[in-house]
Amino acid sequence: WEYTSTAMNYLYHEKLVDMELQKKNEWLDLFDLVVVGACKPAYLTDPHLNLFRVIPEDGTLKNTDGLFEIESLGENGSTKFLDQGKTFQ
């Protein structure tokens, strides 16, 4: 996450930015979903890889139950799931 955040902030702002501005991660608004450090492309085919939600403010990871969590949220489960955060590892 740290690499992605630093690189994307540089590209978005077209210069190096201080940590306060970098933590805002304004570039996230450009995407519906962000996947970082996910053993690409294995995450597309391996059903046993864990999915973690990245907390952009501090880079911590929160475990998710992926499809099971989405289904447990009921109608529009995927929308509710992404409303909780759209950055994953």
Side-chain angles (χ1 to χ4, degrees):
W1 165 250
E2 292 82 11
Y3 175 81
T4 301
S5 177
T6 300
M8 291 301 294
N9 271 294
Y10 180 82
L11 293 170
Y12 183 81
H13 294 286
E14 298 181 344
K15 63 180 180 178
L16 288 176
V17 296
D18 60 36
M19 288 303 289
E20 183 177 327
L21 183 56
Q22 182 170 330
K23 286 185 178 187
K24 291 182 181 179
N25 289 301
E26 297 166 301
W27 60 270
L28 284 172
D29 294 336
L30 300 174
F31 300 94
D32 293 328
L33 180 70
V34 177
V35 178
V36 299
C39 302
K40 299 174 194 107
Y43 76 95
L44 295 171
T45 59
D46 187 346
H48 303 292
L49 286 177
N50 291 326
L51 179 67
F52 298 96
R53 186 182 311 278
V54 177
I55 310 303
E57 293 77 20
D58 61 9
T60 57
L61 301 178
K62 179 181 175 187
N63 195 23
T64 70
D65 289 325
L67 184 58
F68 300 112
E69 186 175 338
I70 292 169
E71 290 175 346
S72 72
L73 292 170
E75 187 175 342
N76 298 318
S78 58
T79 300
K80 293 174 186 174
F81 183 75
L82 291 176
D83 285 345
Q84 298 172 25
K86 62 181 184 179
T87 308
F88 298 92
Q89 176 171 316

